[in-house]
Each structure stands twice: as C-alpha cells, then as structure tokens.
C-alpha cells in the first residue's frame, strides 16, 4: 500500500522535526519517519538532560565546514532569538550557563515536546519505530518503504544526522543515500570527542579526574576552557572543542597557566627563592597536576638554584605542553561528526540538492559542524527551518 505526501522527512531528530513542523504549518502534507520509537533521542540526553538548545553568540565562524560561508544564509534567517521565542511561547524556563549557552531550567524533554507540538500544529504524520527499507526515486517521486508500508512524495528530506553514538540509533544512512544519489560526502570524523594518549604519555593517566582551566591549541584553533584528564587521555570542554580540528598525527598544545605573562617563573624565584617548582605550580594548579608536571620537568631543588634562562624555558614548556594523542574515543563517544554531505551539492538557501531536484539534506548530515555549546542545535533548527520554508 502506498500513501502520498508532499514531503517525506527521514529522521525525527532536531533538524527533521523542525523541518517537518515548518513545512506542515505552511500547509504541506508531511510524513516524518524514524527507526527509533522515540523521536529526538539525542535532544533528550543533550546538555546533561537540560538541552543546551542554542547559543546567543551564534556566528558562522563557530562552524566547521569545507565551505565556511555555506551556513551564513540559514543562520541569519533563523536566529537563536527565533528559537528562544519559541521556547518562551511554550513557557519553558531557561537560563544562560556560560559563554552564551542557553539551557532549559527543567528538562530536555520539554524541547522534544515543543517540537512534537509544533509538528502536530502542522498536521505532520509520524511513522516511528520501523526500520527504513528501500529509498527509491523515479517519475519525479521518492518512495520510502518501512516495514510493509511504502510512502511516496515529490520531496525527500534527509535528516538522519551523523554516525555519532550508534547506541542512540545513529547511522550512516545519510551518507549512503547521498552516495546513491551521486552526491559527494566529505570524509566524516568523530568530533567533540575525548582524545586518547599512548603509552609514552601514560604518566598523565594517573591524573584521571583532575581538571584545570587551560588554553588548548591545534593548528590555528585555540580554546580557553577546562581540560580534564581521564583514564584514557584528555577530555573536558577545551579538549572536546579542539578535537573537532585535530587530525591524526598532530599534537595538541596545552597552556597550563594561560593567565601568566612570560618570565613569571623568574619573578616567582625572586619573590620566593626557597620554593620548588612543584610548590610554585601547586599555588595555581590542582596538587596532583602540579606534582605530575614537576615530576616530568624534573627541575632539582629550589628555584633559587636555577638560572633565569632555565626558568624561562620551563615556563615556555608549561605554556605549550605538547601532547601526542594517538586517536580519539571515536563515534561511540563523539557528540557530533565533522564532515558529511558536501555543501557544494546543496543550495544554501533551500538545502535542495543541485543535481537531484526534490532531494534535501539538513542538520548534522551536512558538512557543517558547530562548536560545543548549543551551536549544533542552532544549526539543526536553522537548516531545518530553511528547508521547511522551501518544500
Ligand atoms: P539527530 O541525530 O538529532 O537526528 C537524526 C535522527 O535520524 C534520529 O532520530 C535517528 O534515530 C534517525 N535515524 C538515523 N538513522 C536512521 C535510519 N537508518 N532510519 C531511520 N531513522 C534514522 N548539541 C547542542 O547544540 N547542544 C547540546 O547540549 C548537545 N548535547 C549533546 C549531547 C550528546 C550526548 C550528543 C550525542 C550530542 C549533543 N549535541 C548537542 C549535538 C546534537 O545532538 C546534534 O548536533 C543534533 O542532534 C543533530 O540534529 P539532527 O537532527 O541533524 O540529527
């Protein structure tokens, strides 16, 4: 049995629900399909259960893409304030946590309920909990089969996200479909993910649980936030952010004392000549971290015994401590995916594929990835809204 719609949206996540609701409220007959029985599973667990639903500092330079300009149009047409207005219209209490990050006061489930209510306002039909079968295209229509049912529409929106966290139902379907339709895919990599350290840096693993505010750098990217040592390597917001830019084989530089001016250790020697490096570091860093760094630097005795040039060298090492990650914790732990369906294939206005009229791709499936801090949901809302306007 085949049922006809104006549009089929594949993937009832953040972008898919926003797109379906927008198109539905414009009078389109929309079907929203997901293989999970529960829509928006990533929303539910996001932001520690409180959903960091947007960032008021949203700007195109907070997104990674082979084409840094692609996100501009959608981000300027559907802004953080637009989503915030929706949140407020539903009476959802919210707060700004830090760095422009907006969270629900209550539960992330409120955001899922908001999106479902918006879908319902638009008369969107849901087909949940059925594995997606064949997706076919011909005679100006897309046909999607789930179980015994086949659905048909002149427009298909791929909103199945990226492969991060498979246990929540994430798959690479978006890339498979893109390739099947002849669209290029920018190599996907896990992002916003902890990095792992090899045996030569094993000493740092004994610091598991210790965190400190640092500046983390790789290439031209740098983030001033907290880093956390784990039993496998490095995590915490500064490392998650830098992981999106890090490539295998590259180092990550950590400035453990970002507030300190050059020559600070020399000055510390003159102020407290009897202090050791460890005791000096312990004034600004967690004790275990101060001990581990001092052990590695192995500066004998009191600061008074050291030449100023040696102390400057040590200060420089502490300002750019080189870690050599041997990998990341992979898609199993990555909050998002860098890469995806190439933006060169899509209109930045409508998200329609240039060479396959009627085919759209939005959200994390596309090669646009935000920083940590609500940017990825803002991209999902903005791209979903823009596609929903043009279906
Ligand atoms: P999303 O992954 O949300 O939705 C895709 C949908 O497609 C899913 O419902 C999935 O079941 C479905 N699907 C996949 N394969 C399918 C198939 N084969 N057949 C049928 N359906 C299929 N971002 C942010 O801005 N603030 C935050 O607080 C957080 N927190 C956070 C925590 C954790 C633990 C994770 C993993 C991620 C975040 N994120 C985040 C990132 C954010 O969740 C992510 O960027 C968006 O959910 C992407 O929205 P999409 O709709 O594109 O994909």
């Amino acid at each position: 049995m085949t049922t006809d719609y104006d549009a089929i949206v594949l993937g009832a996540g953040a972008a898919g629900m926003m797109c379906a609701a927008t198109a539905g409220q414009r009078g389109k007959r929309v079907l929203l399909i997901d293989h999970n029985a529960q829509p928006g599973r990533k929303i539910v667990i996001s932001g520690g259960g409180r959903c960091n639903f947007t960032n008021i500092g949203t700007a195109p330079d907070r997104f990674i893409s082979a084409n840094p300009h692609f996100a501009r149009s959608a981000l300027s047409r559907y802004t953080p304030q637009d989503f915030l207005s929706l949140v407020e219209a539903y009476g959802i209490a919210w707060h700004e946590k830090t760095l422009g990050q907006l969270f629900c006061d209550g539960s992330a489930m409120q955001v899922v309920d908001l999106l479902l209510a918006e879908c319902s306002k638009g008369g969107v039909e849901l087909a949940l909990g059925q594995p997606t079968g064949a997706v076919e295209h011909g005679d100006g229509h897309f046909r999607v089969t789930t179980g015994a049912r086949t659905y048909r529409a002149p427009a298909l929106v791929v909103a199945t996200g990226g492969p991060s966290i498979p246990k929540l139902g994430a798959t690479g379907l978006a890339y498979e479909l893109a390739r099947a339709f002849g669209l290029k895919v920018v190599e996907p990599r896990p992002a916003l993910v902890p990095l792992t350290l090899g045996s030569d840096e094993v000493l740092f693993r004994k610091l598991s649980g210790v965190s400190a505010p640092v500046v983390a750098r790789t290439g031209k990217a740098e983030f001033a936030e907290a880093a956390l040592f784990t039993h496998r390597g490095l995590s915490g917001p500064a490392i998650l952010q830098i992981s999106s830019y890090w490539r295998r084989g590259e180092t990550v530089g950590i400035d453990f004392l970002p507030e300190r001016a050059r020559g600070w250790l020399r000055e510390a020697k003159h102020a407290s000549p009897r202090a050791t490096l460890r005791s000096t570091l312990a004034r600004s860093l967690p004790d275990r971290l101060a001990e581990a760094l001092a052990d590695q630097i192995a500066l004998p005795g009191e600061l008074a015994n050291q030449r100023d040039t040696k102390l400057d060298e040590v200060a420089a090492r502490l300002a750019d401590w080189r870690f050599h990650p041997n990998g990341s914790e992979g898609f199993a732990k990555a909050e998002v995916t860098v890469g995806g369906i190439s933006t060169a294939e899509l209109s930045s206005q409508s998200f329609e594929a240039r060479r396959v009229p009627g085919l759209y791709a939005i959200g994390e499936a596309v090669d646009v990835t935000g920083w940590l801090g609500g940017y990825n949901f803002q991209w999902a809302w903005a791209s979903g809204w823009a596609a929903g306007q043009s279906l």
Side-chain angles (χ1 to χ4, degrees):
M1 187 181 133
T2 302
T3 320
D4 280 300
Y5 293 89
D6 293 325
I8 297 170
V9 179
L10 205 47
M17 284 195 275
M18 176 56 99
C19 177
T22 305
Q25 290 179 24
R26 289 179 51 246
K28 302 289 170 180
R29 197 166 170 226
V30 182
L31 177 72
L32 180 57
I33 298 178
D34 204 293
H35 64 170
N36 276 341
Q38 182 192 23
R41 283 190 69 189
K42 281 192 185 168
I43 301 174
V44 176
I45 60 152
S46 68
R50 292 224 160 90
C51 187
N52 177 193
F53 55 80
T54 192
N55 193 300
I56 51 173
T58 294
D61 66 358
R62 311 269 157 119
F63 294 82
I64 303 163
S65 170
N67 176 359
H69 301 294
F70 181 82
R72 265 174 205 284
S73 168
L75 291 174
S76 67
R77 284 155 65 216
Y78 192 89
T79 65
Q81 189 53 53
D82 289 323
F83 194 75
L84 190 55
S85 303
L86 201 51
V87 163
E88 289 186 330
Y90 278 79
I92 300 173
W94 59 275
H95 62 280
E96 181 181 344
K97 197 168 169 189
T98 173
L99 302 171
Q101 303 168 4
L102 306 192
F103 285 77
C104 300
D105 289 356
S107 148
M109 204 53 220
Q110 294 173 289
V111 174
V112 176
D113 290 343
L114 172 164
L115 292 163
L116 286 173
E118 286 292 294
C119 283
S120 165
K121 242 192 228 177
V124 173
E125 288 180 41
L126 298 173
L128 302 174
Q130 296 281 329
T132 308
V135 176
E136 290 158 342
H137 184 217
D139 308 328
H141 282 86
F142 295 86
R143 280 176 200 75
V144 181
T145 303
T146 71
R149 310 280 305 259
T150 297
Y151 306 102
R152 197 172 79 134
L156 175 69
V157 183
V158 179
T160 50
S164 57
I165 323 252
K167 70 173 190 225
L168 292 175
T171 69
L173 179 66
Y175 311 148
E176 285 163 37
L177 290 175
R179 291 189 181 111
F181 283 108
L183 310 187
K184 287 196 199 76
V185 173
V186 176
E187 189 205 346
R189 287 184 289 123
L192 299 183
V193 64
L195 298 175
T196 53
L197 295 175
S199 50
D200 45 340
E201 288 168 309
V202 73
L203 269 178
F204 282 97
R205 292 203 212 143
K206 71 178 187 198
L207 295 179
S208 183
V210 171
S211 91
V214 302
V215 170
R217 300 188 176 94
T218 193
K220 288 186 183 143
E222 70 168 50
F223 292 92
E225 284 191 67
L228 168 73
F229 290 92
T230 70
H231 66 287
R232 296 192 61 191
L234 298 168
S235 187
I239 301 300
L240 298 182
Q241 297 278 35
I242 219 72
S243 74
S244 302
Y245 292 86
W246 177 80
R247 300 262 180 176
R248 206 166 271 277
E250 290 177 352
T251 59
V252 170
I254 300 282
D255 185 347
F256 283 110
L257 294 156
E259 304 292 317
R260 295 299 170 87
R262 267 180 101 237
W264 72 270
L265 197 50
R266 208 178 335 139
E267 283 160 22
K269 164 177 137 178
H270 296 300
S272 313
R274 303 245 103 131
T276 60
L277 178 62
R278 184 189 161 178
S279 66
T280 307
L281 291 179
R283 275 194 232 135
S284 315
L285 295 172
D287 207 39
R288 282 159 67 201
L289 178 56
E291 182 185 5
L293 292 171
D295 282 355
Q296 299 241 340
I297 294 169
L299 198 65
E302 298 167 351
L303 294 183
N305 302 335
Q306 304 299 329
R307 289 198 314 274
D308 284 357
T309 48
K310 178 67 186 170
L311 292 176
D312 285 350
E313 249 173 55
V314 170
R317 189 169 171 203
L318 288 164
D320 187 20
W321 195 282
R322 289 302 170 116
F323 287 94
H324 302 79
N326 61 4
S328 77
E329 294 196 21
F331 284 118
K333 292 281 165 64
E335 278 195 18
V336 289
T337 308
V338 159
I341 299 173
S342 171
T343 56
E345 304 284 3
L346 305 171
S347 153
S348 62
Q349 302 284 313
S350 65
F351 293 81
E352 189 172 14
R354 296 182 193 286
R355 31 179 146 175
V356 190
L359 180 67
Y360 295 73
I362 56 173
E364 196 178 322
V366 177
D367 173 31
V368 174
T369 308
W371 286 1
L372 186 77
Y375 298 101
N376 285 297
F377 280 138
Q378 187 57 37
W379 173 244
W381 316 138
S383 58
W385 181 88
Q389 286 294 330
S390 60
L391 282 172

